[in-house]
Amino acid sequence: MKRPPPIPPPILMLLLAALAWMAAHRWPQWRLDWPSAGMFGAVVACIGLAFNVAPKFAFRRARTTVNPLRPDAVTQMVTGGPYRITRNPMYVGHALMLAGWTVALAHPIALATVPAYVAWIDRLQIPPEEAALAARFPRDFADYRRRVRRWL
């Protein structure tokens, strides 16, 4: 089975956030004139934080791993709570936190880090995780996959 990339998703999000900050400070003349960018960005980031933290409690209650580098160590599928609306609420949360940060920076190059994060996670991180779930819980995961979208 293919393994996920060695970079944990939270670290990837932080690296891209740092890259966004560097771009915003390297080319300040491209900053967008948006007075409420900071407030709007904070709201988006807080929503993302909720999407990221709530699923961790669900994993803890189910007594299964939350480690994205070890999808084969999963002992139970979690399909309740935020997992009713997205198969990947933690990654949605990361994307929203990164989006909030880049909106607060109000810089077009910084904003480009959000689709970069989503593409990386969608193409490299999620497929091995879903393969592990499909191997471990073939019927349950197939049914869940039909009912719930990967993102939103």
Side-chain angles (χ1 to χ4, degrees):
M1 177 174 14
K2 188 176 177 189
R3 307 238 353 128
I7 301 171
I11 300 300
L12 175 65
M13 177 195 65
L14 292 172
L15 289 171
L16 289 169
L19 186 64
W21 182 86
M22 287 188 287
H25 285 79
R26 171 66 177 96
W27 297 287
Q29 68 275 20
W30 293 354
R31 191 176 190 318
L32 304 172
D33 183 26
W34 185 9
S36 58
M39 179 60 74
F40 186 70
V43 168
V44 171
C46 286
I47 292 168
L49 185 62
F51 261 88
N52 187 257
V53 172
K56 289 177 173 75
F57 289 113
F59 270 60
R60 184 174 295 230
R61 277 192 305 276
R63 297 175 194 241
T64 192
T65 185
V66 71
N67 185 347
L69 302 181
R70 294 286 324 275
D72 55 327
V74 68
T75 59
Q76 240 183 101
M77 275 187 49
V78 177
T79 58
Y83 287 92
R84 288 177 289 129
I85 58 171
T86 173
R87 294 195 312 258
N88 297 285
M90 287 185 231
Y91 300 148
V92 169
H94 287 157
L96 288 171
M97 286 187 284
L98 184 58
W101 170 246
T102 62
V103 164
L105 291 172
H107 198 278
I109 294 176
L111 291 168
T113 61
V114 178
Y117 175 83
V118 171
W120 175 283
I121 294 298
D122 193 62
R123 302 288 188 272
L124 301 174
Q125 184 70 40
I126 293 174
E129 292 178 359
E130 290 189 338
L133 288 170
R136 186 134 183 146
F137 311 102
R139 283 189 189 163
D140 290 340
F141 185 69
D143 177 54
Y144 178 63
R145 191 175 190 168
R146 276 190 296 276
R147 287 184 292 114
V148 180
R149 297 206 273 182
R150 180 178 272 184
W151 290 96
L152 285 177

